[in-house]
Amino acid sequence: MIRLTDVHKSFGSNQVLRGATLDVAKGTSTVVIGGSGTGKSVLLKCILGLVTPDAGTIHVDGVDVTTQPRDAFLARFGMLFQGGALFDSIPVWQNVAFRLMRGSLKRPKVEARDIAIEKLRRVGLAPDVADRLPAELSGGMQKRVSLARAIAANPEIIFFDEPTTGLDPIMSGVINDLIREIVTEMGATAITITHDMTSVRAIADRVAMLHGGSIRWEGPIAEMDSAADPYVDQFIHGRPTGPIETLR
């Protein structure tokens, strides 16, 4: 479904991606791991066409992303943003239905609200939450609202950017389980970027390690712990010493 081939991207003198190559099969869940500042978010932005690579190619469903009409192309994606990124001035249901009331996906207001309430139910939130403001909800409830928004338009592809940031271990487990269930139910193709190894083990079918601007290792989650790559070994076990440099 998604194929990146030798993708490069620099911002001035800062080389972020240096030949990243990755295949993501349709209907699978891939988790991209790597330290802060290694280019994980830039990788997602390149796939979405929000950032143009300096070199290399990116294909989604066999078609070069640079040739696609923006609105129709982005309609295929759902996104759970780091921190939730909810609009604090509009009620929860309008956050969930935001895309359903605009552009090529536009639905009548009543229908959009009904869909929003159904998606809220799917993530374990009662209908009465729909008319509340995001600030009236706990962090875990806000994350669920963000997840409902990501799936509101039944996207083919869903990106999860640090989905458990700021949550306690129990709520993180709840969100991980919801993501796994929903991706499986929808048959969606998913890419998650995270530092949370518990999330990796709960969500991933396959894991890719991004370091030094390229994918150092990629394989099934079952083979991650036995990967021979020393960068993968250091990262997944959180060791302070190894080939990954840390600030002392």
Side-chain angles (χ1 to χ4, degrees):
M1 179 61 90
I2 301 171
R3 170 166 287 177
L4 295 91
T5 306
D6 196 27
V7 174
H8 294 251
K9 182 62 188 178
S10 296
F11 298 93
S13 60
N14 181 23
Q15 292 181 289
V16 179
L17 299 178
R18 308 180 185 187
T21 295
L22 178 67
D23 284 351
V24 179
K26 185 175 183 178
T28 61
S29 175
T30 294
V31 177
V32 180
I33 60 174
S36 298
T38 54
K40 300 187 298 298
S41 294
V42 172
L43 194 76
L44 294 190
K45 290 177 181 178
C46 286
I47 297 171
L48 290 168
L50 303 177
V51 170
T52 303
D54 301 323
T57 59
I58 302 174
H59 290 81
V60 172
D61 207 11
V63 181
D64 189 328
V65 301
T66 62
T67 66
Q68 299 305 292
R70 287 293 87 197
D71 195 37
F73 176 69
L74 291 175
R76 304 179 70 178
F77 292 83
M79 180 84 188
L80 191 156
F81 298 93
Q82 184 175 354
L86 298 175
F87 299 108
D88 57 9
S89 60
I90 60 175
V92 162
W93 80 265
Q94 290 186 29
N95 269 280
V96 174
F98 192 80
R99 291 179 65 187
L100 298 178
M101 296 191 291
R102 290 161 180 82
S104 62
L105 299 174
K106 190 170 182 178
R107 308 284 184 87
K109 188 173 181 179
V110 173
E111 182 182 348
R113 178 182 167 84
D114 287 345
I115 292 172
I117 290 174
E118 177 56 34
K119 297 304 181 183
L120 287 169
R121 282 198 185 99
R122 179 59 193 86
V123 299
L125 294 175
D128 66 287
V129 171
D131 293 310
R132 296 164 68 180
L133 292 173
E136 300 176 292
L137 307 181
S138 68
M141 292 174 76
Q142 289 183 25
K143 191 70 76 167
R144 290 182 191 226
V145 172
S146 299
L147 179 54
R149 179 176 62 184
I151 64 172
N154 296 320
E156 300 170 62
I157 304 165
I158 312 177
F159 290 163
F160 302 98
D161 187 355
E162 300 287 357
T164 57
T165 294
L167 301 180
D168 65 60
I170 294 174
M171 185 51 63
S172 293
V174 170
I175 295 299
N176 287 334
D177 287 347
L178 277 171
I179 289 173
R180 182 82 243 188
E181 291 169 8
I182 287 170
V183 168
T184 301
E185 280 177 16
M186 296 177 65
T189 303
I191 298 182
T192 303
I193 56 177
T194 185
H195 299 95
D196 184 350
M197 293 309 302
T198 301
S199 291
V200 175
R201 298 179 191 281
I203 295 171
D205 294 319
R206 300 185 70 83
V207 179
M209 170 97 183
L210 182 64
H211 184 81
S214 64
I215 302 296
R216 284 199 57 91
W217 181 86
E218 190 273 340
I221 182 66
E223 296 178 7
M224 180 180 70
D225 287 308
S226 59
D229 189 287
Y231 289 81
V232 175
D233 181 72
Q234 181 186 353
F235 186 86
I236 67 174
H237 294 105
R239 297 191 178 107
T241 57
I244 301 174
E245 296 181 1
T246 57
L247 296 176
R248 303 292 183 181

